[in-house]
Each structure stands twice: as C-alpha cells, then as structure tokens.
Amino acid sequence: MRSTFMGLETAKRALFTQQSALHTTGHNIANANTPGYSRQHVNFGTTTPFAPAAMNRPQLPGQMGTGVEANSIQRVRDSFLDIQYRQESNKLGYWDSKSSAISEMENIVNEPTTNGLGAVMGEFWQSLQDLSVYPENDGARNVVLERGQSVVDTFHYLNDSLNQIKDNIGNEISVSLDSVNSLLAQIASVNSQISDVEPHGNIPNDLYDRRDALVDELSGYIDIRVTSIKSEGDPADEAEGLYNISIVGANGREEILVANKDYNQLGFSNGSGKLTTSTPDDISQIAIFSSTGKEIESKKLSISDANGNPLFSQGKIRGLIESYGYSYQDSTGTTQVKGTYPEMLDNLDRLAYSFSQTFNAVHEKGIDLQGNSGQQFFGDLGGDHENASKLISMSDITSKEIAASTTTNADGEVNAGDGKNAVNLSNIQNWLMNETVTLDGFDGAESINLNDYNRLETASMNSFYEGVIGKLGVQGLQANRLAGNSEILRQSVEEKRMSVSSVSLDEEMTNMIQFQHAYNAAARNITMVDEMLDKIINGMGLVGR
C-alpha cells in the first residue's frame, strides 16, 4: 500500500529539480560574457518507481512514478570542434609569427623605394658614370666619395637593424617558452583539482572550462595531442577525466608534457643540466625538463634533421625559431645555419664582400688624377665574407686618388678626358661574378677573374640583390596569405563552437520561463495534495459529532 503522503514527496522532488534547473539557468546568464565559459544544463531523470521489483511487492495495476530528479549538471561542449579549433590555432600561431618577422624585415629593407639599398647603390653607379664624363671635375669626384660612404652607411644600417630585430625575436622565444611552461603548470594544477572532485561523483564543469581555455592557449605555441584519462574512485559517467598532453613533432614524435598532476617544462640547458629559457645564439635543440627544472637527457627535441628540414613541433615557437635561425649538422658533420634573418644577413654579407672587393680590384687597375696607380677604394675585408656588411668601410682615399682613368701620356700624366676606368667601375653592377672580364680602355689586355671575389654564385650584383628582395617578397606574401587563411578558419571553427557552447540569452530566458512554470505547477501540486490531506484529516470521521 502506497503512502498517504506520496504525492507530497513527488511534488517536492519536482520543486527541488526545477529549482536546480532555474539555478543553472541563472549561472548561465551570469556567465554569458565570461571568456571560455560553456553553458550548462541539468539532465533530468525519473526517480525509482513504486513499487520496486520484489517478491513482497504490493499488488498494483502497474508501477507508479515517484517524480523527477536532477541526474547531473553537464556543460554543453563538442570535443570534435575543440580539436579543430586547436589545429587551426596552431597553424595561426606559426604563420602569424612568420608573417610578423618577415613584415619587420620588409620594413627595414624598405624595397623597392628611393631609400633602400638598391636605390643607394644605383646612385653610386650613376655618380661613376657622371665621373667618366668629367674625370677631372673635383665636384664629380667628391660625389663619388659621398655616394660610396652612403652605400657603406646603408650596409651598416641594415646589418644593425636586422641584428636588433633578430635579438628581439630571441627575447620573444624566451617569453613564449615561459608562457608554455606556465600553461603546463596550470593545466597540471587544474588536473589535480579535478582529480579531487570527480572520484566523489561530482562533475566540475567550471574546472573543465578553465582547463580547456588553457589548452586552447597552449595549442597556439606548440602542436599538442590531448588524451583523457578516467579518474579513480567512482566518477560520474559524464566526468571528462584528467588530461595527458604530449608535444607532437613534425615527424610525429610525441613526448609527454602533462601526465595527470605532473608536468614537464621546455627550455634550454644552462650547461649544468638546469633549465633556462634565455635564448642562446645557437639553437639546435630544445630540451625537456622536469617540473623542478632538471633536464631529462632522453627527451631532447631536435629543431631540424640533417637536411635542415624542421622537426620541431609546429606553432608560434617554431615560427619564431625559423625566423631567429637554428643550426644543424649536415650529413658530412658540418654545422649549417638556417633561418630567415641569418640568411638575409648572410646575403648582405656576400653582397657587401663581393661589391667592395671587386670594386677595389678594378679601382687598383686604374690611374688616379695625379698619374698614380689606383689604391683600395673600400677597406680590405680579407678572405672571409662573414660580417662584411658590418665591417665594410671607406679607405682613406681622397677625391684626387679616385682612379677613374686607364692611361697616361709620355710625361706620366693622365690623358685629359680619360674616364674609362670609371666606366669599368660603373659596369661592375652587371658583371656575372663567375666569369673573367676584360677591362676597357687599357693599352694592354687587362682582365679580372671575378671568381676571386665571388660570393654570389652565378649572379651579378644587381640580379643577386633583386633575387634576395624578390624571395623576401614571396615569403612575406605567402606568410601573410596563410596567416589570413588560418585566422579565417579558426574564426569559422570558433563561431561553430560558440553556437554550441556559448550562452544564448534568448534561449536561457525561454528555459527560465519553462522551469518557472514547472516550479509553479509543482507548488500547486503540493497545495492540491495538502487540500486532500486536509479533507482526510479534518473533514473525515465527523459523523455523529
């Protein structure tokens, strides 16, 4: 026989459950603008009916419902969209850092404009052509010296500015590694908090949101793989468990960074096996350290393979390293350096070396205004082109010592109007540097083997510099385009994710009305049962009084 007060209990359960739904709706509305918040909903379920299956069950026409209960409060989240978002965020982090680094380089190189190195060298060649027309004119000679100094200053400016930006990128690598290590520590901490809650059957939705926001941010720096591990104890079916996070290299190699409550860190070794995030001049690998900062020898991550192809995990950090430069040993054991900024600096060094040393060689073949053999126009750089754009300088040459002529008369004086060597000097810009050239205007055959000063392979100075600028332009265009595409794709996935997980105030207001009416109906049910009981208690058994 069922209880007289059964109706009250059923109504009370409905009252409490609808109240829980209203509270959850209020929580959603309160966090409508909270970043990373996922809306939550109550999973309703019927309570155990009466009578339960048993040998001594009462004889009833069927099981009678006993009301409703809140089985769980669960956040609305699509894990597939989370994976997509992190993939696009990872691509955006990589291409955005590449685009930013190349954009800064383009601003420094400033080509094609009237202020770039190409224009400055063009003015220098033009001053030599002017000198060939008026070789005795002191004004034309001084212009050549000034234009030559301008070329030297421009090489210095480019070298200094590019090295400064390179150092800034190195600092950004350090800051990014600090951010990654901080995120890994926070994720492990949230894992720890979740592991304290889930074993008791509770579902920490807000902790899940906080952890996913951290993982989203981490995915911008490095490529990661997230796996979920079930908590110990008696977790609910809806519990999402603990995250294990691995860094994934370009070759598919995975190394664990977060395992349950423990985490590792990324950085460089300070030489004694301790963690430092200060970027060294030479990057060839990134090491994995324990949470206490001790290096784990077996988990070093190489930046590239023997061919210079990147192996490190894609993301912002790899984009920065590719711009900053990294070293590797090729198949012969020779150390090679690769990277956007080192390669640009190396190209400038090659151009400065080939330009200054070839110019000196031709200049020394000529005759100056006083009938003397030409001397070095630019300072000697020796036999190595390294740092040539920084070390290039003007010699102590005067305007009268510019060797613009090729012949002298019987008295040893320069023939009037002889500016043929100035023509030779102005023609340097178009000579292919792997050839031997014959100089014009000399009585005997005068030739120069340009291979002695060649650091430009088979190109001329003009075509080499045009190639460098053209390559930079293509790289910048590609980086900007792919960064834009990645941003669009990430935004598209983010909108899909928001359509699933974000709070819709219209929907929440509708839910609030729905749950409020259900709450009111449950309250009215209590009133109805109360009136029934009042009739039984106070209105029955009064016959004969």
Side-chain angles (χ1 to χ4, degrees):
M1 182 177 180
R2 60 183 177 272
S3 169
T4 305
F5 300 98
M6 178 178 172
L8 274 178
E9 180 63 24
T10 302
K12 186 193 75 173
R13 290 174 178 176
L15 207 64
F16 287 167
T17 303
Q18 302 304 327
Q19 190 179 41
S20 297
L22 281 168
H23 289 165
T24 302
T25 303
H27 185 57
N28 287 340
I29 294 172
N31 288 283
N33 296 318
T34 302
Y37 178 78
S38 302
R39 65 188 175 93
Q40 300 173 8
H41 70 93
V42 176
N43 290 323
F44 291 88
T46 55
T47 52
T48 305
F50 182 81
M55 294 296 293
N56 59 346
R57 67 185 186 278
Q59 294 299 316
L60 294 172
Q63 284 189 320
M64 186 174 296
T66 58
V68 65
E69 64 179 354
N71 285 337
S72 62
I73 299 175
Q74 189 176 10
R75 65 176 186 156
V76 180
R77 194 93 178 185
D78 188 331
S79 58
F80 177 68
L81 291 176
D82 283 339
I83 293 173
Q84 278 191 312
Y85 178 86
R86 289 162 191 162
Q87 288 173 343
E88 298 306 328
S89 177
N90 182 257
K91 294 175 187 174
L92 177 61
Y94 173 74
W95 286 112
D96 196 45
S97 64
K98 292 272 288 185
S99 173
S100 178
I102 293 176
S103 178
E104 289 192 73
M105 181 182 288
E106 289 177 328
N107 291 336
I108 293 171
V109 175
N110 203 19
E111 296 285 3
T113 66
T114 57
N115 300 318
L117 177 63
V120 173
M121 293 188 74
E123 291 172 350
F124 180 62
W125 302 127
Q126 182 60 50
S127 69
L128 289 166
Q129 291 177 2
D130 295 342
L131 178 62
S132 69
V133 179
Y134 307 104
E136 292 85 14
N137 187 291
D138 193 53
R141 288 176 171 271
N142 279 310
V143 169
V144 171
L145 290 180
E146 290 302 319
R147 297 298 188 196
Q149 185 62 53
S150 295
V151 172
V152 169
D153 292 343
T154 304
F155 271 117
H156 290 174
Y157 166 78
L158 291 174
N159 183 281
D160 293 343
S161 300
L162 290 173
N163 273 308
Q164 187 176 26
I165 298 299
K166 180 172 175 284
D167 291 341
N168 291 341
I169 293 174
N171 292 333
E172 194 171 353
I173 292 174
S174 300
V175 173
S176 298
L177 287 173
D178 285 334
S179 298
V180 167
N181 293 337
S182 173
L183 289 169
L184 294 173
Q186 292 180 65
I187 291 170
S189 174
V190 176
N191 261 351
S192 177
Q193 296 176 56
I194 291 173
S195 70
D196 292 336
V197 177
E198 283 190 340
H200 304 289
N202 295 321
I203 303 174
N205 292 305
D206 295 336
L207 287 177
Y208 294 155
D209 283 344
R210 183 181 166 195
R211 183 176 61 181
D212 280 329
L214 293 171
V215 174
D216 287 349
E217 188 176 349
L218 179 65
S219 67
Y221 290 100
I222 52 175
D223 189 13
I224 55 175
R225 192 169 76 89
V226 181
T227 53
S228 183
I229 307 298
K230 186 178 180 181
S231 290
E232 297 178 350
D234 186 24
D237 293 338
E238 295 81 2
E240 298 184 14
L242 310 178
Y243 278 178
N244 283 355
I245 297 178
S246 302
I247 183 172
V248 183
N251 57 353
R253 176 187 172 186
E254 294 187 17
E255 292 293 346
I256 195 76
L257 294 180
V258 174
N260 204 330
K261 306 173 189 177
D262 299 325
Y263 69 97
N264 294 325
Q265 303 179 83
L266 297 178
F268 307 103
S269 175
N270 65 355
S272 58
K274 297 295 184 182
L275 170 67
T276 178
T277 54
S278 297
T279 305
D281 293 335
D282 179 21
I283 301 178
S284 60
Q285 61 185 12
I286 289 182
I288 296 180
F289 298 80
S290 67
S291 59
T292 58
K294 185 177 180 181
E295 184 175 1
I296 304 174
E297 285 289 338
S298 60
K299 294 189 176 182
K300 292 180 178 178
L301 304 172
S302 297
I303 302 299
S304 71
D305 60 15
N307 296 318
N309 300 317
L311 293 179
F312 190 70
S313 177
Q314 182 172 272
K316 180 179 180 179
I317 290 180
R318 184 174 127 184
L320 292 171
I321 291 175
E322 288 184 9
S323 299
Y324 180 80
Y326 56 91
S327 64
Y328 63 96
Q329 287 193 334
D330 61 19
S331 55
T332 64
T334 306
T335 300
Q336 304 286 349
V337 177
K338 196 172 183 180
T340 307
Y341 275 74
E343 288 175 4
M344 176 57 80
L345 286 166
D346 183 63
N347 286 331
L348 283 176
D349 289 341
R350 290 175 181 275
L351 181 61
Y353 181 88
S354 297
F355 163 72
S356 62
Q357 300 308 292
T358 304
F359 195 93
N360 281 345
V362 177
H363 190 263
E364 287 173 344
K365 296 285 186 182
I367 306 296
D368 67 15
L369 194 59
Q370 298 167 328
N372 300 318
S373 296
Q375 54 183 288
Q376 288 191 341
F377 189 88
F378 295 103
D380 186 19
L381 294 174
D384 189 358
H385 71 271
E386 188 175 358
N387 287 325
S389 60
K390 179 181 180 180
L391 301 175
I392 186 174
S393 63
M394 292 288 290
S395 66
D396 296 329
I397 193 171
T398 65
S399 61
K400 295 184 184 304
E401 293 171 334
I402 297 176
S405 305
T406 56
T407 58
T408 58
N409 57 26
D411 298 329
E413 297 176 345
V414 175
N415 291 318
D418 180 5
K420 294 178 182 175
N421 201 43
V423 175
N424 289 326
L425 291 169
S426 67
N427 288 335
I428 292 175
Q429 57 181 316
N430 295 317
W431 290 345
L432 296 179
M433 294 301 295
N434 61 333
E435 294 183 345
T436 298
V437 295
T438 302
L439 302 180
D440 295 332
F442 289 92
D443 292 336
E446 283 286 354
S447 61
I448 293 180
N449 184 0
L450 298 179
N451 283 300
D452 295 340
Y453 319 105
N454 182 19
R455 298 295 185 276
L456 310 181
E457 303 295 338
T458 60
S460 68
M461 292 184 192
N462 276 352
S463 62
F464 178 80
Y465 187 62
E466 289 169 359
V468 170
I469 297 303
K471 182 180 178 182
L472 175 64
V474 171
Q475 288 177 335
L477 186 65
Q478 182 190 27
N480 290 335
R481 181 173 61 245
L482 293 178
N485 290 345
S486 300
E487 174 63 31
I488 291 172
L489 289 172
R490 190 183 74 159
Q491 185 63 31
S492 174
V493 176
E494 173 66 2
E495 289 174 358
K496 289 181 183 176
R497 195 165 68 162
M498 294 288 284
S499 69
V500 173
S501 301
S502 67
V503 176
S504 166
L505 291 177
D506 293 340
E507 183 179 352
E508 296 303 327
M509 292 302 293
T510 304
N511 288 340
M512 185 184 295
I513 293 170
Q514 176 185 345
F515 298 139
Q516 183 184 15
H517 280 306
Y519 184 87
N520 291 342
R524 180 64 63 88
N525 191 19
I526 290 178
T527 302
M528 181 273 294
V529 175
D530 179 58
E531 290 178 357
M532 290 171 57
L533 293 174
D534 178 67
K535 178 60 70 179
I536 294 172
I537 295 170
N538 299 319
M540 295 178 68
L542 300 179
V543 178
R545 288 189 180 181

